[in-house]
Amino acid sequence: MLNRPAHEQRAASPAMTDERYLDVVAVRKSFKGVTVMDGMNFRVARGELVSLLGPSGCGKTTLLRIVAGLMQADDGSVILAGRNISSLPPHKRNISVVFQNYALFPHLSVAENVAFGLRARGMSKADAVQPVREALALVRMQDFADRSIGGLSGGQQQRIAVARALVVRPDLLLLDEPFSALDRKLRETMQVELKSLLRDRGITGIFVTHDQEEAMGVSDRIAVMNAGRIEQFADPSTLYASPATPFVMDFVGLSTRLSGRVTGQEGARVVVETALGTLRAPGGLATGTPVLIGVRPELIRLEGGAGMNRVDLVLEDVAILGSKTMLQGRPDGGDRLLCELAGIRNGKARGDAISFHWAVEDTLIYDASAEVTT
Ligand SMILES: Nc1ncnc2c1ncn2[C@@H]1O[C@H](COP(=O)(O)OP(=O)(O)OP(=O)(O)O)[C@@H](O)[C@H]1O
Ligand SMILES: [Mg+2]
């Protein structure tokens, strides 16, 4: 039949069904009467690599532990591949976890640690040799198979923990800041490798970090968490270009923030009065609304054009960072304005009087009367 209702057609498409591969529904959790999660909803598609990004204490580890079954939610459910796993013990969920502190078995060798999950599932020692070797090669630790855990550096232990988690081919891989002990170079290598590894094998992963660059580098989508809630869940470019809240704008990338008040509307633009003059932003808000204006530093130019926003200031700091230079001013000791220029030869110095210009379309605007203080 050709004219099936739309919802049936969608249900028949595997891609749409997979949107709910992991479905965390209305999860609540409190510790000794203090609520840390109040109706969390979180949905991951099959094969996706999703990051949980947020400040310390916002509930990232708690969410992972509830998904893995290492902690019971007070209310709500966890569905994996259409199965309600809320009351299953951790070892029946086929979910692998790489913990913040990697939790390896100190009395077992590297190879025995990696083989552990396979052996626990009843695989013979001989059959485990090849998958263990492959898993160790993935994390570039193939030469360490017979070493003891105690003789490894923190970074090496972290890679063994990743190998141990992957070798069992989990339905879901949870990683809680797996690379935090690694030096920058190894960390970047591991990020790239983890991403392609999961993609090649079609493994669905949730990656916890509070490093926004790491989250943007590895993830298909990022859930920005704040105080037990998801403020925005989107792909890295949407998150960066269109942050849904001031918290997300601040947490993902640098920005300039200016406070103001709406004084009028010009078509699809809001006119805002700030301490530094009149600015315009896309959208519509009632006159009198207190607002927060934001702009990303790399969208600011030193020369303007008709119809662009403009702020005059004296440079207070010029920071040369190699591939880029950050210009900073704090007019009247108030809001900090940031401009990022490519390269280092721009002839600007502290004390220069200059103007920052940016397109109205690049201006972010938030209703400050609705802003939740964080
Ligand atoms: N077992 C526990 N008993 C009491 N409070 C807890 C417990 N576990 C977590 N919490 C509290 O719940 C909140 C969320 O903690 P969680 O460990 O999930 O944060 P996180 O986002 O992982 O932080 P971090 O980035 O520091 O690892 C915190 O306020 C924490 O103090
Ligand atoms: Mg944590």
Side-chain angles (χ1 to χ4, degrees), residues 55-126:
S56 187
C58 71
K60 306 181 293 294
T61 297
T62 302
L63 177 58
L64 283 202
R65 294 181 77 85
I66 288 170
V67 169
L70 299 165
M71 186 184 270
Q72 275 296 312
D74 300 334
D75 200 5
S77 45
V78 179
I79 318 286
L80 183 61
R83 197 163 64 120
N84 190 333
I85 58 169
S86 309
S87 49
L88 286 185
H91 65 276
K92 295 216 168 129
R93 296 188 181 198
N94 199 27
I95 295 175
S96 283
V97 189
V98 177
F99 294 98
Q100 246 164 330
N101 56 5
Y102 14 105
L104 296 169
F105 306 113
H107 56 289
L108 300 182
S109 72
V110 164
E112 286 165 344
N113 260 278
V114 176
F116 188 84
L118 297 174
R119 303 280 287 133
R121 285 164 168 78
M123 187 181 278
S124 75
K125 210 167 176 174

